[in-house]
Amino acid sequence: MAKTNVTKFSSGQEEGGEREVGGVAGKRLKSLIERVERLEEEKSGLADDIKEVYAEAKGTGFEPRIIRRLIKLRKMDVEKRREEDELMELYKAAIGMS
Amino acid sequence: MAKTNVTKFSSGQEEGGEREVGGVAGKRLKSLIERVERLEEEKSGLADDIKEVYAEAKGTGFEPRIIRRLIKLRKMDVEKRREEDELMELYKAAIGMS
Amino acid sequence: MAKTNVTKFSSGQEEGGEREVGGVAGKRLKSLIERVERLEEEKSGLADDIKEVYAEAKGTGFEPRIIRRLIKLRKMDVEKRREEDELMELYKAAIGMS
Amino acid sequence: MAKTNVTKFSSGQEEGGEREVGGVAGKRLKSLIERVERLEEEKSGLADDIKEVYAEAKGTGFEPRIIRRLIKLRKMDVEKRREEDELMELYKAAIGMS
DNA sequence: ACCGTGGTTAGCTTTC
DNA sequence: GAAAGCTAACCACGGT
């Protein structure tokens, strides 16, 4: 392992920000954490959107369970096709056609 | 149960589109499915982004495992604070301070 | 929760066996642990067998990667069929044919 | 690379069996695949058995989570001891005590 | 309100 | 040592 960046970093939320324990590493870590948190927020927003769609579907008489199954099946189709393509690539590579 | 909307819907991908089994319901179902699929695609895009951030973190010497734990902790703190705030509001309302 | 079975139980391996902390619960817990451990041993034995088969395959000129892909594809077929059947059941249930 | 054995092999399940693409290699490949599949089936059977044990444990008031941790601990102990033994053998060999 | 199930995520093993 | 595939823990949802 090259660098280790072992950084003491308080887990509390002292408003106003980090004391310079760990120096620049602290800043960097904080930035990483905030990026992840932001992305996760967006992600869970989308999860909520999806739930809304299912709720709406249910409201108009479509069973969410069935829709879920259909979507799963379609996804499996896509994956199967992709998998087949990859296998084909493997074959080609094996016989020197890559 | 009011409406049931049971619609046979082929899971294959015949380009050109659905035969009119289910009529207008088929259209509606298809639309629902596509909305969900689109949202899930975006969602999994974000998941990939998050992975990239962790990869980058690792590349600069931060252990993803630790970062994950920090984020979890921060999330718990946030939720705890939110709950406390809600409780506080409740109390205020109870004593006519709202 | 009915029973809780909170049992102090030493994690060390004093040959000769457990002192009766927890009484009968200790015996029971030990038995459960040993059953799981035995099953996991068998399981990892099978994993080794599988590895051997791949090694043998490789030794006779078959690429393990390709075999893995083939097996995966076959498995996907099986799962897809199962999934389709379940969807069908769901449909039947939805229209009261269950 | 000595032999390559690249064999086109249909992933579908046409009952009645393989056309003779690849000849004897096809037979051999099929046999390999089936051996692996059989072993994996057994393996996943054992995984199910393990789940059952945990379910039973839970039913009688033991928390699976705790049992898992105990088992992990015990495994680590065993491995640690084995490593120590190996090291000991090494030392013995080094000083001519083997 | 709880249980069971299904889906997601993280950690581990193996491969290249 | 990096990348992928696999497995197992966790979490959230739907059903009872």
Side-chain angles (χ1 to χ4, degrees):
Chain A
M1 192 183 291
K3 292 162 288 184
T4 327
N5 267 330
V6 176
T7 307
K8 271 210 193 82
F9 201 78
S10 90
S11 69
Q13 290 120 320
E14 313 91 5
E15 292 301 301
E18 56 281 13
R19 292 168 36 240
E20 282 302 333
V21 274
V24 70
K27 273 211 164 63
R28 197 138 168 58
L29 178 57
K30 190 153 196 285
S31 155
L32 286 165
I33 288 177
E34 282 166 356
R35 277 166 68 196
V36 171
E37 283 177 341
R38 182 156 191 293
L39 290 166
E40 290 199 331
E41 217 169 318
E42 287 181 49
K43 185 146 141 310
S44 93
L46 284 168
D48 290 345
D49 292 347
I50 291 170
K51 253 178 245 164
E52 277 176 43
V53 176
Y54 279 117
E56 180 193 326
K58 191 171 189 176
T60 58
F62 292 101
E63 301 209 23
R65 270 175 311 154
I66 292 187
I67 302 184
R68 280 176 207 278
R69 292 283 178 184
L70 278 171
I71 288 174
K72 194 177 181 184
L73 228 26
R74 282 161 64 97
K75 196 175 174 187
M76 284 172 68
D77 288 339
V78 170
E79 276 170 18
K80 186 158 181 283
R81 180 166 302 186
R82 217 205 48 217
E83 193 68 24
E84 280 166 359
D85 289 348
E86 284 180 21
L87 182 58
M88 184 56 70
E89 289 309 308
L90 234 40
Y91 279 147
K92 287 202 214 163
I95 60 175
M97 282 186 58
S98 59
Chain B
M1 190 181 294
K3 293 162 288 183
T4 326
N5 266 331
V6 177
T7 307
K8 270 213 190 79
F9 201 77
S10 94
S11 69
Q13 289 119 321
E14 314 89 7
E15 292 301 298
E18 55 280 16
R19 288 170 39 243
E20 283 302 332
V21 274
V24 69
K27 274 212 162 63
R28 195 138 169 57
L29 178 57
K30 188 152 196 283
S31 154
L32 286 165
I33 287 177
E34 282 166 357
R35 275 166 71 195
V36 171
E37 283 177 341
R38 180 152 194 295
L39 290 166
E40 290 198 332
E41 216 169 318
E42 287 181 49
K43 184 150 152 285
S44 95
L46 284 169
D48 291 345
D49 292 346
I50 291 171
K51 259 182 226 151
E52 275 177 45
V53 176
Y54 279 118
E56 180 193 325
K58 189 173 188 178
T60 57
F62 292 101
E63 299 235 17
R65 207 166 64 99
I66 305 301
I67 301 184
R68 286 206 168 88
R69 282 171 59 177
L70 276 173
I71 289 175
K72 202 182 217 174
L73 270 179
R74 280 161 63 100
K75 197 175 174 188
M76 282 172 59
D77 288 342
V78 169
E79 277 170 16
K80 204 174 152 213
R81 176 168 302 187
R82 217 205 51 218
E83 276 175 27
E84 281 169 4
D85 288 350
E86 281 177 17
L87 194 56
M88 181 59 69
E89 288 310 308
L90 207 59
Y91 284 166
K92 285 204 221 165
I95 61 175
M97 281 184 59
S98 59
Chain C
M1 190 182 291
K3 293 163 287 185
T4 326
N5 266 329
V6 177
T7 308
K8 270 212 193 84
F9 201 76
S10 91
S11 69
Q13 290 119 321
E14 313 89 6
E15 292 302 299
E18 55 282 14
R19 289 166 42 237
E20 282 303 333
V21 273
V24 70
K27 273 211 161 61
R28 198 137 168 56
L29 177 58
K30 189 151 196 287
S31 155
L32 286 165
I33 287 176
E34 281 165 357
R35 277 166 69 195
V36 171
E37 283 176 341
R38 182 156 192 294
L39 290 166
E40 290 199 331
E41 217 168 319
E42 288 181 49
K43 187 149 146 295
S44 93
L46 284 168
D48 291 344
D49 292 346
I50 292 170
K51 256 179 242 160
E52 276 177 43
V53 177
Y54 279 119
E56 179 193 326
K58 190 171 189 176
T60 57
F62 291 101
E63 302 208 23
R65 269 174 312 154
I66 291 186
I67 301 183
R68 279 177 208 278
R69 292 284 177 183
L70 278 171
I71 289 174
K72 194 176 182 184
L73 229 25
R74 282 160 63 99
K75 197 176 175 189
M76 282 172 69
D77 287 340
V78 170
E79 277 171 18
K80 185 157 180 282
R81 182 167 301 187
R82 218 205 47 216
E83 193 69 23
E84 280 165 0
D85 290 347
E86 284 180 22
L87 182 58
M88 185 56 69
E89 289 310 308
L90 233 40
Y91 279 147
K92 286 201 215 161
I95 60 176
M97 283 186 57
S98 59
Chain D
M1 191 181 291
K3 293 162 288 184
T4 327
N5 266 332
V6 177
T7 308
K8 268 211 192 82
F9 200 78
S10 91
S11 69
Q13 289 119 322
E14 312 91 7
E15 292 300 299
E18 56 280 15
R19 289 171 36 242
E20 282 303 332
V21 275
V24 70
K27 275 215 161 61
R28 197 139 167 56
L29 178 57
K30 188 152 196 285
S31 154
L32 286 165
I33 288 177
E34 281 166 357
R35 276 166 70 196
V36 171
E37 283 178 340
R38 181 152 193 295
L39 290 166
E40 290 198 333
E41 217 168 318
E42 287 181 50
K43 185 151 151 285
S44 95
L46 284 169
D48 291 344
D49 292 346
I50 290 171
K51 261 182 224 149
E52 275 177 44
V53 177
Y54 279 118
E56 180 193 326
K58 187 172 188 178
T60 57
F62 292 101
E63 299 236 17
R65 207 166 64 98
I66 306 299
I67 301 184
R68 285 208 168 87
R69 282 171 59 178
L70 276 174
I71 289 174
K72 200 182 217 176
L73 271 177
R74 280 161 63 99
K75 195 175 176 188
M76 281 172 60
D77 287 342
V78 169
E79 277 169 16
K80 203 173 152 211
R81 177 168 302 188
R82 217 205 49 218
E83 276 174 28
E84 281 169 4
D85 289 349
E86 282 177 17
L87 194 57
M88 180 61 67
E89 288 311 308
L90 206 60
Y91 284 168
K92 284 205 221 164
I95 61 174
M97 282 184 61
S98 60

